[in-house]
Amino acid sequence: MSSVLDFSFFSIVELEELSSKLEIVKPAKEGAESDQPRRVKAQCLRLCNNSIKNIESLPDVAATILRQPLGLRWIDLSFNEMEGLGEAFSSFTELNVLYLHANKISSFKELRCLRGLTKLRSITLHGNPIAEKKSYRLYLIINLPALNQIDFSPITRQDRETAKTWAAANRRKRPEAF
C-alpha cells in the first residue's frame, strides 16, 4: 500500500504552510540528519478540511515535501474554500483519484485543466456550485473520458451514450465548452 501524507484538519490556509507542518504529520526517524530539507515518500496527499483557497503553488510545494511529487496518485482537497483550480494539477500526470467536493467551484472553465490527466479514474465535485448544473455529469464524462466514477457513483455505458448525444447537440451551440 502506498504511503499517505495527511494534512487534514490543520487549519491550513496557504499551501506553503505544509513544509512547517511536515514534522507533525511525519516525524523524522531518530538520528536522521537534518542538514537538507526533508522530503518524504508518499503517493497520496490529504489536504481536506482546511481553509485552502488557492492551489496554484501545489506543484512547487509538493516538490519541497515529497521525494517524487509527480508520482502522486491521489489528492484529497475536499472541504476547503477553493473557487478555481488554475493549472495546479497539470504536472500530476499519474493522478488516479481527485477529491474536490465541498469547495466553491462554480464554472466548467475551472475544470478544463484536468483534461490532460489521462489516468484520472475518479473525481468528486459534489457540494460545489458546479454540481448543481444540469449538464454537470455529462460534461465530466465527455471531457474526462478515462473517468469511471464521478462523486462515488460509477459511470455506466448508458451514461457514456447519453453524454455523447448531449455533446453532439451542444458542440454546435457552445464549442468553447468542449
Side-chain angles (χ1 to χ4, degrees):
M1 175 135 183
S2 61
S3 178
V4 177
L5 198 51
D6 191 351
F7 291 98
S8 304
F9 298 99
F10 270 80
S11 301
I12 295 169
V13 175
E14 302 288 333
L15 290 176
E16 289 73 15
E17 297 173 46
L18 298 185
S19 295
S20 65
K21 299 196 186 299
L22 185 58
E23 193 59 35
I24 299 166
V25 172
K26 198 100 166 162
K29 293 179 181 167
E30 201 157 316
E33 294 186 28
S34 61
D35 58 338
Q36 293 184 12
R38 196 162 77 90
R39 297 184 338 180
V40 297
K41 184 177 182 181
Q43 291 183 330
C44 305
L45 186 58
R46 293 191 70 197
L47 296 164
C48 57
N49 296 284
N50 284 294
S51 298
I52 300 167
K53 291 182 180 182
N54 186 325
I55 58 167
E56 282 292 327
S57 63
L58 184 60
D60 295 331
V61 171
T64 65
I65 62 171
L66 298 172
R67 286 187 199 157
Q68 297 177 318
L70 301 182
L72 277 174
R73 298 187 188 281
W74 178 58
I75 299 175
D76 183 351
L77 278 156
S78 59
F79 295 97
N80 276 289
E81 304 289 326
M82 300 179 316
E83 293 180 10
L85 305 179
E87 294 297 320
F89 296 108
S90 60
S91 59
F92 299 112
T93 57
E94 297 299 313
L95 203 57
N96 299 133
V97 178
L98 182 58
Y99 292 167
L100 297 170
H101 54 278
N103 275 286
K104 297 179 178 182
I105 301 165
S106 61
S107 169
F108 287 131
K109 180 175 62 176
E110 293 301 328
L111 303 179
R112 288 185 191 156
C113 64
L114 302 177
R115 289 179 182 166
L117 301 179
T118 59
K119 296 182 180 181
L120 189 63
R121 301 294 182 257
S122 179
I123 191 168
T124 62
L125 284 158
H126 58 280
N128 282 281
I130 196 169
E132 301 300 318
K133 294 189 179 195
K134 184 178 176 183
S135 54
Y136 155 74
R137 190 170 169 88
L138 301 173
Y139 178 90
L140 289 174
I141 292 169
I142 289 299
N143 286 281
L144 303 171
L147 286 179
N148 57 32
Q149 193 177 70
I150 298 170
D151 296 333
F152 305 114
S153 175
I155 297 171
T156 66
R157 193 173 307 141
Q158 181 61 50
D159 290 334
R160 292 196 191 282
E161 290 301 318
T162 302
K164 283 181 190 173
T165 303
W166 172 82
N170 285 284
R171 274 196 175 105
R172 289 177 289 238
K173 294 178 192 172
R174 296 182 352 172
E176 75 283 351
F178 296 92

